[in-house]
């Protein structure tokens, strides 16, 4: 979280999990006021395979990272 905030972003911490599964959840962050290109670069910096892109009044989009 400190790396995200040090880049000037505001973030909300969460846990991604499935209540119907034994799979242990993982930390996640909702980063506010970021554009899609910035989100893509940030996701690459954290070696993510994908991220969920959300815009107000639009459907969420799962964005896969192409390395």
């Amino acid at each position: 979280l400190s790396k995200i905030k040090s880049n000037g972003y505001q973030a909300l911490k969460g846990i991604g999990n499935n209540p119907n599964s034994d799979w242990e959840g993982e930390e996640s962050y909702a980063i506010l006021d970021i554009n899609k290109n910035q989100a893509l670069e940030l996701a690459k910096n954290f070696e993510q395979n994908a991220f969920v892109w959300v815009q107000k009044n639009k459907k969420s989009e799962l964005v896969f990272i192409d390395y």
Side-chain angles (χ1 to χ4, degrees):
L1 184 58
S2 61
K3 273 188 170 183
I4 294 169
K5 288 187 173 183
S6 70
N7 284 315
Y9 298 115
Q10 183 180 9
L12 304 173
K13 188 175 178 180
I15 298 287
N17 65 3
N18 180 346
N20 298 321
S21 171
D22 291 337
W23 177 71
E24 187 174 325
E26 63 182 14
E27 287 186 0
S28 63
Y29 299 94
I31 302 173
L32 310 176
D33 298 322
I34 188 170
N35 69 45
K36 194 173 182 179
N37 287 333
Q38 291 169 321
L40 179 61
E41 289 305 312
L42 192 60
K44 286 180 179 179
N45 289 341
F46 283 95
E47 299 179 352
Q48 296 298 295
N49 293 318
F51 64 93
V52 178
W53 177 247
V54 180
Q55 292 179 303
K56 187 176 182 178
N57 299 321
K58 295 189 178 183
K59 290 184 180 181
S60 300
E61 174 187 355
L62 181 59
V63 179
F64 290 96
I65 310 298
D66 186 22
Y67 288 99

